[in-house]
Amino acid sequence: MRAYSTHEIELMKELETTIQEGLSSSKVIKRQNQYGLNEIKQKRGTHPIIIFLGQFNQPLIYILLAASFITAILKEWVDSLVIFGVVIVNAIIGFILEVKARKAIESLGKSVSREANVIRDGKRQRIPASQLTIGDIVFLLSGDKAPADIRLIKVRELQIDESTLTGESIPVIKSTAVIEKNTILAERTNMVYSSTLVTYGMGTGIVVAIGNNTEIGRINQMIATADVLETPLTKLIARFSKVLLYVIMGLAGITFLIGVFRGDKIVEMFMAAVALAVGAIPEGLPAALTITLAIGVSKMAKRHAIVRKLPAVETLGSTNVICSDKTGTLTKNQMTVQNIFTTGHNYEISGIGYEPKGNFLANNCNINPLDDLVLKECLIAGMLCNDSNLVSIENNWPIEGDPTEGALLVSAMKSGLSRDAILTDLPRLDTIPFESEYQYMATLHKNAKSKNNIVYVKGSVESILARSSKVLLSSGEIVNIDVNRCLEASNVLATKGLRVLAFGCLMVDKSKSGITHADIAENLVFLGLQAMIDPPRPEAIQAIQACHKAGIKVKMITGDHELTALAIAHMIGIVGNSQNLSEFQVLNGKRIAELSDQELIDIVENVYVYARVAPEHKLRLVKALQFHGDIVAMTGDGVNDAPSLRQANIGIAMGITGTDVAKETADMILTDDNFATIEAAVEEGRGVYDNLVKFITWTLPTNFGEGLVILLAVIAGIALPILPVQILWINMTTAILLGLTLAFEKMEPGIMSRPPRKSSQSILTPDLIIRIFVVGALLCAGAFGFFEYAIRMGKSEVLARTVAVNIFVFGELFYLFNCRSLRFSMFKIGIFSNPLLWIGVLIMILLQILFTYAPFMNRVFHSTQIDILDWIFVLITGIIIYATVGLDKLLRNRKYKTL
């Protein structure tokens, strides 16, 4: 069926649906059984076998595979099997992590579920998009993502971004006109296709295709949808691996040639070269990086932050500017009307929250608001020019819709007005939805008791006053408006931190059944102002204090009035404690538009409050801040926020109020729309980065020490103190049982008291690089020194190697406690604060006992039993390493305190 070439009346008849009633419940069930759910069944992506084989496509793995192959040719079967076993274990770990990552991405799409507005059984409902079926009547608003393929039957200035289907970046203006058959997809202006974006206006249509039968569904059957999980850090590690590959091959070749030229056996020298190569490779590093990042993402999710793009985990640690929306993020999103202004009168309203209980007061005396004509009309305007609903659920009064509109409903209900009763007398005929370009919403109502229909308009004070020429008085008289008086009243209310909306009305001809922006461009009758407050979140106030302490600037960006924005910023601590708010600079959208890019760059660092900001201004603000080298996190929830979210280093979308466009553009989604969650995510990001650095600082000394031992042995012309198979045992067991436990370390004290990390800063500081070389040298000295001592004392090479292996393992074990914090001792951060670390230590000790005393382990790893004196030497080496690093941290901490 070509819906685009079929008239809408004929189409509704064919699909047995109407715009007034929609589908019946019985038809919905029948069609869902016939057509299935509105879900795209993803085509199977990369085959698991290909994913598994991909784990071997790494430079360092090539060395291990070559070593395993050549040792097998030399009939060193145990060494060959162990080396190959390590490669297989690495591949299995990588395979499991990659599969889990792909599943996490798929489940993310399910966790951030999409919904649709439909009419069924004559009632407007909001349902999961997956429940849509053929014939459903769907309503589309600006910011929505089309949930299915829809034939339009009614539009209001509707524009759709179809770039996901056609590649055309300019939004398409839609209509309801019938299109000729065989018209190409890009020219079907009466169709809205699944996953395209509503960028402007509103529309109503019939679902004609769902799931895999949609245009986007057909495309999804031809492509795999898995994201590539590669972060800047993993790219850095990949480059490091390639460099390390060449260095290892070079050193291994030099080791081999030195021995051969000296007359040593080729097989022995090859084994020495293999030992050096195996020892220098940090086999556990890739898995540790992925696991640490995955743990960070999991921790953030528990704190209401869903990370969509893994680079966000790393970038969060260096964020130094947060640009936050006000409503619902810094505040509670429970607006309450507290004041109403009409010409000549000011009223106060008691009560907090959405429960419709409260009194109206004038001059501190209770009044009946319905006795005042203009006050009543102002309340009616707020109630009718409104798309939200107030429902009662077990003594709770949740709002379905916008909190601001909810506050207007509550204020009207407090007066005794009934929305249902008023709509009976004044049914709605048409709507102009709120658009940021116009800053107002308007509704047209049929008035059976009058010769005219009536338009109610609500919006910003500036937009309503600019269109008003008259004002309604309490007496019913309509006179010329005093704009300055209204503006003065608005400013007085705004300085109290109240959000002010203006209301107006316009009588239109009875025959008029639709309205446009041109109809209300002038001659409105001004009714009054309603002023409300959205109380700050207590946790947001604390979070802002924590951000300031952490060296992070917080800037508030809002569409509210300048004075309102500044008052709220003062209440939550974004600006100083001075009572004279006028001394703080506020930049409004009009001024931003007037400034050149360079002028904006010059002042952006010193302005913390931006008011009356349109979404397009946010992009300029982000670019201006980034010009100064700032790492910017930007919040957003609307369609037009997408460019600034994409431009920001961290784009943050609101999970509750955010549009699909914002969520899909963002790096991170706040499931509770709370600013405190941003601060928590930054904190977790710093913790994740710290743990990555801890692991790298812990693992590299071992590789350096092992490579140094082999190189010194070859140069000295003595037997290898540790064999390739023993090196693999050390590297793999310690990386898994010891190193990975660092990923579970809790955040260090004062993590939010230090300045943000610069994005250009290298992973390892000079201090840490020195520490890596010192610890590596101590491990080498301990293992090499004891090996030489044991040989001279007449002990066997097998026993000397067994002790050398234990020196490396226990040296790493003691050093692990140093690496739990890069600055503090483990006693300060809590000896038992990481239970998994102690479990790993205990298992590692048990495995070393088996390595040393179990006969089957002795055969596989060429080890043997050692006595108590040997163990004392092992423990002394570990204690020396721990004491050396501990003393270094102590001295450096004292140095920092004196600076």
Side-chain angles (χ1 to χ4, degrees), residues 846-883:
L846 290 174
L847 284 178
Q848 279 309 111
I849 292 174
L850 288 174
F851 174 89
T852 307
Y853 296 103
F856 73 95
M857 296 288 279
N858 295 156
R859 289 192 298 272
V860 172
F861 293 102
H862 311 290
S863 59
T864 189
Q865 299 179 10
I866 60 177
D867 57 33
I868 189 67
L869 292 176
D870 298 326
W871 280 115
I872 290 174
F873 192 91
V874 168
L875 295 176
I876 288 174
T877 304
I879 292 171
I880 291 173
I881 291 173
Y882 178 81

Side-chain angles (χ1 to χ4, degrees), residues 561-808:
H561 192 281
E562 293 139 84
L563 294 175
T564 304
L566 190 54
I568 294 294
H570 173 67
M571 292 169 63
I572 60 181
I574 287 180
V575 297
N577 296 321
S578 172
Q579 297 300 313
N580 182 16
L581 296 182
S582 62
E583 71 181 51
F584 298 106
Q585 186 178 5
V586 180
L587 205 59
N588 61 32
K590 182 180 179 181
R591 178 64 178 143
I592 293 174
E594 294 172 350
L595 292 172
S596 68
D597 289 342
Q598 186 57 52
E599 289 172 332
L600 184 60
I601 287 170
D602 291 340
I603 66 172
V604 71
E605 287 280 282
N606 299 318
V607 179
Y608 292 86
V609 181
Y610 300 87
R612 285 290 191 252
V613 174
E616 58 266 24
H617 298 145
K618 291 185 176 181
L619 179 61
R620 292 189 64 201
L621 291 174
V622 173
K623 289 182 176 180
L625 288 165
Q626 290 174 332
F627 182 85
H628 291 279
D630 291 326
I631 305 299
V632 183
M634 168 70 79
T635 69
D637 55 10
V639 174
N640 291 335
D641 289 330
S644 59
L645 292 177
R646 186 179 292 112
Q647 177 67 34
N649 302 91
I650 298 291
I652 303 171
M654 303 297 109
I656 299 173
T657 60
T659 59
D660 291 329
V661 188
K663 292 175 185 176
E664 293 192 2
T665 305
D667 303 290
M668 188 170 74
I669 299 173
L670 306 185
T671 60
D672 59 356
D673 290 11
N674 192 341
F675 179 85
T677 301
I678 303 175
E679 183 268 334
V682 171
E683 186 178 39
E684 290 291 350
R686 290 188 176 191
V688 166
Y689 186 83
D690 279 359
N691 288 346
L692 286 174
V693 175
K694 289 172 188 176
F695 178 85
I696 294 171
T697 304
W698 172 82
T699 194
L700 291 185
T702 304
N703 302 111
F704 173 66
E706 290 168 342
L708 193 58
V709 163
I710 302 301
L711 188 59
L712 289 177
V714 172
I715 293 173
I718 62 173
L720 297 181
I722 43 177
L723 300 175
V725 67
Q726 294 170 339
I727 291 174
L728 283 173
W729 167 263
I730 295 170
N731 290 356
M732 292 307 298
T733 56
T734 57
I736 295 171
L737 295 173
L738 300 181
L740 288 182
T741 63
L742 291 173
F744 297 92
E745 280 296 332
K746 296 181 179 179
M747 287 175 284
E748 295 189 15
I751 195 170
M752 290 296 283
S753 299
R754 66 194 191 205
R757 175 179 58 86
K758 294 181 180 179
S759 58
S760 58
Q761 181 178 321
S762 60
I763 299 173
L764 298 175
T765 64
D767 290 347
L768 293 180
I769 293 173
I770 293 171
R771 185 179 299 175
I772 288 169
F773 278 107
V774 169
V775 174
L778 289 173
L779 287 170
C780 174
F784 192 85
F786 181 86
F787 183 83
E788 275 295 284
Y789 169 78
I791 296 299
R792 291 181 181 181
M793 295 299 295
K795 296 184 178 182
S796 68
E797 288 184 359
V798 175
L799 185 145
R801 287 187 179 121
T802 303
V803 176
V805 169
N806 277 295
I807 286 174
F808 266 98

Side-chain angles (χ1 to χ4, degrees), residues 239-312:
R239 290 196 297 267
F240 166 73
S241 297
K242 289 182 179 178
V243 173
L244 191 61
L245 170 66
Y246 299 131
V247 172
I248 290 171
M249 291 179 66
L251 289 177
I254 291 172
T255 302
F256 179 78
L257 292 175
I258 288 174
V260 170
F261 284 130
R262 196 171 46 218
D264 294 330
K265 295 180 179 179
I266 293 179
V267 172
E268 291 180 358
M269 285 303 96
F270 179 78
M271 293 302 295
V274 168
L276 187 145
V278 170
I281 296 174
E283 292 92 348
L285 183 56
L289 291 173
T290 307
I291 290 172
T292 304
L293 289 172
I295 291 170
V297 170
S298 176
K299 287 181 178 179
M300 289 181 186
K302 292 177 181 177
R303 299 182 74 171
H304 308 292
I306 298 176
V307 176
R308 293 188 69 251
K309 301 173 184 177
L310 280 183

Side-chain angles (χ1 to χ4, degrees), residues 147 184 197 199 202 216 503 549 632 652 675 742 769 776 809 841:
I184 63 173
L197 312 173
T199 61
M202 59 189 298
I216 202 74
F503 299 84
K549 189 177 180 181
V632 183
I652 303 171
F675 179 85
L742 291 173
I769 293 173
V809 170
V841 166

Side-chain angles (χ1 to χ4, degrees), residues 123-199:
K123 296 180 180 179
R124 189 162 176 164
Q125 306 173 33
R126 189 165 179 83
I127 63 171
S130 61
Q131 298 299 313
L132 283 176
T133 192
I134 304 297
D136 261 323
I137 302 296
V138 176
F139 302 95
L140 298 171
L141 298 174
S142 178
D144 287 348
K145 191 169 189 178
D149 285 1
I150 298 167
R151 166 65 160 91
L152 293 168
I153 56 177
K154 188 177 181 181
V155 298
R156 164 73 64 186
E157 301 180 12
L158 183 65
Q159 296 182 24
I160 304 293
D161 177 359
E162 296 182 340
S163 57
T164 53
L165 281 176
T166 65
E168 177 59 56
S169 59
I170 300 174
V172 179
I173 299 174
K174 294 294 182 177
S175 69
T176 60
V178 177
I179 307 297
E180 293 183 3
K181 292 182 179 179
N182 300 321
T183 300
I184 63 173
L185 185 145
E187 296 179 2
R188 297 173 192 169
T189 54
N190 62 5
M191 293 291 297
V192 176
Y193 291 101
S194 177
S195 294
T196 58
L197 312 173
V198 182
T199 61

